[in-house]
Amino acid sequence: MALSACAASERDENEGEDGGDSTSSGRDTFIFAASADPASLDPAFANDGESFRVARQIFEGLVGTEPGTADPAPLLAESWEVSEDGLEYAFDLKQDVTFHDGTPFDGEAVCANFERWNNFTGVLQSESLSYYWQKVNGGFASSDVESLDGTGKYESCTAPDEHTAVITLASPLPEFISALSLPSFSMQSPAALEEYGADDVGGDSAAPVLPEYATEHPTGTGPFVFDSWTRGQEVVLAGNPDYWGEQGQVQRIIFTVIDDPTARRQALQAGDIDGYDLVGPADVVALEEEGFQIVDREPFNILYLGMNQADPELEDLTVRQAIAHAVNKEALVAQTLPEGTEVATNFVPPSVAGWSGDVETYEYDPERARELLAEAGKSDLTIDFNYPTNVSRPYMPTPEQVFQSISADLEEVGITVNAVPEPWAPDYLDRMQGTPDHGLHLLGWTGDYNDTYNFIGVFFGAESNEWGFDDPELFQMIGDARYQTSVDDQTAAYEAANEAILERLPGVPLAHPVPSLAFSPSVQGYPASPVQDEVYNVITLDD
């Protein structure tokens, strides 16, 4: 609870000497408990929710989302026009916007950002860093990896004038506008990127060492500016006095890191924080009865059990089928996940076009699991099971409980589980995405925008360290579906791809959990979003 005490002291400093509020409009500090440190303050080198939570306050992209939805909406681009062939996007940029360092946001700044992403080299091209540029664009200007060498959709950017940026693609990318709402594609100050060596990443893909920019000098156009980051404790942001939009009441944000769900709840109950995410299922009713607010996000996610085929034991489809039949999804949901959570059958939520009701579902059947293990000659199977610690995710609020439930199911059918716990940041994600060194593993995904490719394309659109298999036929199916011009044809193609995925069974889709947040009664107007596009300048704090 040391972290909660730190948060309390920060709040005390914001009150007047008589204990009242320091401003006539009420408190202006919002204290939010994060479950982990951000991995990076440079969103181009991030793909985790805690990094994005902070990034959305500091940075803005050309495209945002409609409040409360996953649908794209204008942000730094007020409008755009797309050529008939789908290759040219002309963005009309918002005027009189400056970055936090006072430099102008204009067409040249837009082009500088796109050129930066496309020209990443060496370790910057690793999945643990430029994950989204690689997944959405498909490649870089040049690369030592053949599949990434000049294979991207992006071709060029021009700035006909300071208020216009024109992006030209080499081939159509139907989800381009929606994808630009990702924090990874936020606009960053070209001057700050250069001054603080944003691309001077050390280490290697398994253990990258971030430069000064990504830890001390993130520079965007958003309503809040970076103040400080005390690793493992808190990130502090301050109001941007020159913000082009609404400043709002909140002028100071403290993201205090409390990795344990029980400790987060206790900090809220003690009045040390204003709110927190990833409320444990067992805490929801109790907090409501005490007068706290519970805010649910629409579930737009997937929790899954990954089966890395680079592990020789998991390369055998029969073994993977046995594991799938061994897992009791219904019991897992009832015992470890929030009320309202749906059991998953696809790697996409039912609300996403392309979800199929005809996939193989691998119903819970321990006897069938034993038969399959015997058929594979693996009745005495021992397998590594990786899972994260010291973290809660929207798709997995209590990882240890999920691990324990699935492990018990596997042990029941004769599989010996070798538990491999590992801290979430930075070790766990780097191992899952940056190396082939893992076996069974728990992970998940909150959709970034409403598009099937954003789920199955990110997972299975190309070779990946996480899954450890090479299946050109499946990759082609997903790629072909991505570029269908007819909505009906694309939906049918994605349904077929989802069915093919479950036939191959690279992992077991487990559930679509309902993510819950909890707040003190004083917090008003929290902008809950299914894709977590939640910016705190719209929040008000009552006395």
Side-chain angles (χ1 to χ4, degrees), residues 175 300 346-349 351-355 445 449-459 478 481-482 490-491 493-495 497-498 501:
E175 76 268 24
F300 194 64
N346 289 224
F347 279 90
V348 299
S351 61
V352 176
W355 181 93
W445 185 261
Y449 46 89
N450 198 347
D451 183 86
T452 312
Y453 190 86
N454 183 241
F455 286 87
I456 65 172
V458 169
F459 300 151
I478 295 172
R482 185 183 193 185
Q490 187 177 62
T491 299
Y494 274 135
E495 289 174 354
N498 277 311
I501 290 167

Side-chain angles (χ1 to χ4, degrees), residues 162-240:
E162 60 181 332
H163 304 309
T164 307
V166 179
I167 307 297
T168 302
L169 304 181
S171 56
L173 184 60
E175 76 268 24
F176 182 61
I177 291 296
S178 293
L180 289 182
S181 66
L182 284 165
S184 292
F185 305 139
S186 299
M187 294 292 105
Q188 307 195 48
S189 164
L193 291 169
E194 181 176 359
E195 180 177 358
Y196 299 109
D199 296 342
D200 297 336
V201 177
D204 55 27
S205 60
V209 178
L210 295 174
E212 183 182 5
Y213 178 84
T215 59
E216 299 179 26
H217 297 285
T219 309
T221 63
F224 297 95
V225 302
F226 177 74
D227 184 302
S228 64
W229 181 12
T230 305
R231 298 294 186 94
Q233 295 186 34
E234 66 180 22
V235 176
V236 180
L237 310 180
N240 174 11

Side-chain angles (χ1 to χ4, degrees), residues 248-266:
Q249 177 184 348
V250 174
Q251 291 298 299
R252 183 174 171 84
I253 302 172
I254 301 171
F255 292 104
T256 185
V257 178
I258 307 177
D259 56 31
D260 180 67
T262 299
R264 290 199 295 275
R265 171 177 56 78
Q266 292 171 341

Side-chain angles (χ1 to χ4, degrees), residues 361-447:
T361 56
Y362 304 96
E363 299 299 326
Y364 175 56
D365 189 342
E367 186 56 39
R368 179 58 180 151
R370 295 186 190 96
E371 292 173 356
L372 288 166
L373 288 170
E375 180 183 325
K378 300 291 185 181
S379 296
D380 59 350
L381 178 64
T382 298
I383 194 72
D384 287 348
F385 192 159
N386 299 74
Y387 67 97
T389 61
N390 303 324
V391 74
S392 296
R393 307 306 308 135
Y395 48 77
M396 186 170 52
T398 54
E400 291 87 349
Q401 291 182 21
V402 175
F403 164 76
Q404 291 165 2
S405 176
I406 295 174
S407 292
D409 290 341
L410 298 180
E411 297 277 1
E412 177 65 24
V413 301
I415 297 174
T416 300
V417 171
N418 178 33
V420 188
E422 198 162 25
W424 174 260
D427 301 336
Y428 190 76
L429 269 184
D430 285 347
R431 182 181 298 279
M432 295 307 105
Q433 297 173 349
T435 80
D437 182 22
H438 53 278
L440 294 175
H441 57 283
L442 291 176
L443 208 53
W445 185 261
T446 296

Side-chain angles (χ1 to χ4, degrees), residues 12-93:
D12 293 342
E13 291 174 6
N14 191 58
E15 295 178 350
E17 293 181 1
D18 61 355
D21 295 328
S22 60
T23 68
S24 59
S25 59
R27 291 191 293 114
D28 64 0
T29 297
F30 179 64
I31 305 176
F32 190 94
S35 68
D37 255 341
S40 168
L41 299 180
D42 179 347
F45 294 151
N47 58 60
D48 65 289
E50 296 299 352
S51 295
F52 284 173
R53 193 194 310 278
V54 176
R56 290 189 188 277
Q57 318 306 319
I58 299 172
F59 298 100
E60 296 168 316
L62 297 178
V63 179
T65 61
E66 291 286 354
T69 78
D71 300 327
L75 191 51
L76 290 180
E78 294 190 325
S79 63
W80 49 83
E81 294 184 2
V82 185
S83 61
E84 288 188 11
D85 60 7
L87 298 181
E88 188 174 279
Y89 291 74
F91 293 94
D92 181 20
L93 306 179

